[in-house]
Amino acid sequence: MPKGSKQKFKLYRLAQIMQEQTDEDHFITMPQIMAALAEYDITADRKSVYADLRDLEVLGIEVEGEPVGNRYHYHVVDRPFELPELKLLVDAIQSSKFITEKKTNALIRKLEKLVSKYDAQKLQRQVFVSGRIKTMNESIYYTIDAIHNAISENKKIRFQYFQWNVKKEMELRHDGGWYHISPWGLLWENENYYLVGYDDKADKIKHYRVDKMLHIKTSEEVREGKEHFQKLDLAAYAKKSFGMFGGKEQTVKLLVSNHLSGVIIDRFGKDVMMIPADEEHFTVNVNVYVSRQFLGWVFSLGEGIQIIGSEEVVEQMKAEAKRMIKQYGCSEKELSRQ
């Protein structure tokens, strides 16, 4: 490279030096700035560096100089993100199940570039989430982007859907057939992303795990099902679905012990009406998609909760209890002895 050709990168390198080597607690002097530029084969005099430091403000990089003894010490102030904000983002990325380990590391490295090298070390955090299993589908980010683009363009999408078999291999559902869906929203539930869309063949709203969608393509066909989604509250839809498993939507009446009031509020929100039944219990009516997952949730709370309506759901719970008794080989006589 011809002599002096690197001078045109002077402002860029100065910005890089200031952002990497300074923060609220770490400063750099003018001789140190000039020495750092020299490492990039860039010569500079004090007067030109003073002017360049002022020019950095045009790039959105505010540099402040503070007198310390007989010298000025310079540092970058007012970055786009504060360190606590970036720590929060790092924690969210590390604890997100749908972000792969590879992408997690790549995203954190990018966040580290937003702070000094000193603060970057503080972003090397490790968040431990019980039972967390990172997704193995690296294409999920592009799938999400494709879904958003299709929604903004008012187009349908086509994709294949898979499940894992006992050999831990991807196995396409519907014999590899393509799903043709009108996308209307993305839902975050139970650490997973779900596409919520309209299936015109079935004439109903369905949801799909985004990390299990493959080879997504935007169709030329305009989306359908607008009238369904104008009446749909996605937050309420998620609240009614336990583990995002489907089922018949029904109003279920529960008799609940007072000590489980927090569990009910966490699950159904503070707007749920809890009516006192006696000094130790209350009743609550909730709209849910009744599935084995919902029945399992009720079962997991033990004697503190009981389904008392509708009769149809009560009978479903009885049938599920009988199935479990049969599955584990318990006779009614054995249960009575316990």
Side-chain angles (χ1 to χ4, degrees):
M1 186 176 288
K3 183 179 179 181
S5 63
K6 293 185 180 179
Q7 292 297 118
K8 62 184 178 182
F9 298 114
K10 180 183 171 188
L11 194 61
Y12 166 76
R13 291 301 186 187
L14 180 61
Q16 185 179 359
I17 291 164
M18 297 305 298
Q19 289 182 309
E20 287 182 357
Q21 299 188 25
T22 75
D23 54 38
E24 290 291 336
D25 300 313
H26 299 88
F27 302 78
I28 190 170
T29 64
M30 183 58 68
Q32 289 172 327
I33 293 174
M34 295 170 67
L37 286 170
E39 292 181 10
Y40 294 107
D41 294 328
I42 296 173
T43 58
D45 57 62
R46 288 174 177 268
K47 187 176 180 180
S48 68
V49 174
Y50 287 136
D52 290 335
L53 288 174
R54 289 192 297 270
D55 289 342
L56 287 181
E57 290 194 26
V58 178
L59 302 177
I61 303 170
E62 184 180 350
V63 177
E64 188 176 85
E66 297 182 13
V68 180
N70 61 349
R71 282 184 174 176
Y72 264 80
H73 289 60
Y74 300 90
H75 70 123
V76 171
V77 295
D78 194 26
R79 292 175 184 263
F81 288 92
E82 296 179 8
L83 183 60
E85 293 173 329
L86 290 174
K87 286 180 178 179
L88 184 64
L89 292 175
V90 168
D91 289 352
I93 290 168
Q94 286 191 330
S95 59
S96 293
K97 178 181 176 182
F98 87 95
I99 304 178
T100 63
E101 291 289 351
K102 180 181 177 182
K103 194 65 174 180
T104 293
N105 295 330
L107 289 172
I108 293 174
R109 283 196 297 271
K110 290 179 181 180
L111 291 178
E112 288 174 357
K113 294 180 180 179
L114 299 176
V115 293
S116 70
K117 61 183 180 181
Y118 308 102
D119 283 345
Q121 296 173 0
K122 300 174 184 177
L123 294 180
Q124 292 296 329
R125 298 149 68 82
Q126 183 63 51
V127 179
F128 294 96
V129 181
S130 177
R132 183 190 66 182
I133 301 174
K134 287 284 195 178
T135 182
M136 291 173 281
N137 186 355
E138 285 287 345
S139 65
I140 184 172
Y141 325 104
Y142 309 106
T143 300
I144 291 170
D145 189 50
I147 292 171
H148 279 300
N149 288 338
I151 291 173
S152 66
E153 295 171 9
N154 197 33
K155 299 292 186 180
K156 291 183 180 181
I157 57 173
R158 299 177 69 245
F159 58 90
Q160 291 175 300
Y161 205 53
F162 78 87
Q163 62 189 5
W164 295 104
N165 62 24
V166 294
K167 296 179 181 179
K168 303 178 184 178
E169 299 169 334
M170 286 184 181
E171 190 175 81
L172 292 177
R173 301 186 66 176
H174 292 178
D175 296 321
W178 290 82
Y179 291 67
H180 204 190
I181 301 296
S182 297
W184 286 94
L186 282 164
L187 192 62
W188 174 254
E189 178 68 14
N190 285 340
E191 298 189 75
N192 289 305
Y193 257 128
Y194 291 87
L195 162 70
V196 180
Y198 175 72
D199 183 341
D200 58 286
K201 289 185 177 179
D203 189 27
K204 64 188 295 187
I205 295 168
K206 294 183 178 181
H207 57 261
Y208 305 86
R209 276 262 301 267
V210 174
D211 60 313
K212 294 187 176 180
M213 297 168 62
L214 295 174
H215 311 128
I216 184 169
K217 299 177 181 178
T218 303
S219 169
E220 290 303 315
E221 295 184 35
V222 175
R223 289 185 302 170
E224 298 181 70
K226 183 177 181 180
E227 65 281 2
H228 291 272
F229 280 85
Q230 286 178 331
K231 298 180 288 185
L232 180 68
D233 182 335
L234 280 179
Y237 179 82
K239 190 164 60 177
K240 294 174 186 177
S241 303
F242 281 70
M244 293 303 292
F245 283 87
K248 179 182 177 182
E249 183 176 356
Q250 299 182 66
T251 299
V252 178
K253 187 173 185 179
L254 302 171
L255 178 66
V256 188
S257 294
N258 289 342
H259 73 275
L260 291 178
S261 58
V263 174
I264 297 299
I265 292 172
D266 286 344
R267 177 67 231 190
F268 299 104
K270 292 184 72 175
D271 292 334
V272 68
M273 186 175 293
M274 301 188 297
I275 304 171
D278 55 43
E279 291 185 359
E280 297 180 355
H281 300 84
F282 63 88
T283 61
V284 60
N285 291 311
V286 294
N287 292 323
V288 298
Y289 295 105
V290 178
S291 62
R292 280 185 171 174
Q293 286 67 34
F294 166 69
L295 299 178
W297 176 78
V298 173
F299 184 82
S300 71
L301 296 175
E303 297 177 352
I305 187 169
Q306 180 182 352
I307 298 173
I308 58 175
S310 66
E311 188 60 34
E312 179 183 351
V313 182
V314 172
E315 290 303 317
Q316 283 182 259
M317 179 59 101
K318 288 180 179 178
E320 186 66 10
K322 289 178 181 178
R323 182 195 64 78
M324 292 182 68
I325 291 170
K326 182 179 180 181
Q327 182 173 337
Y328 289 96
C330 298
S331 65
E332 292 185 11
K333 188 178 293 184
E334 288 176 315
L335 289 173
S336 65
R337 290 201 300 265
Q338 295 180 6

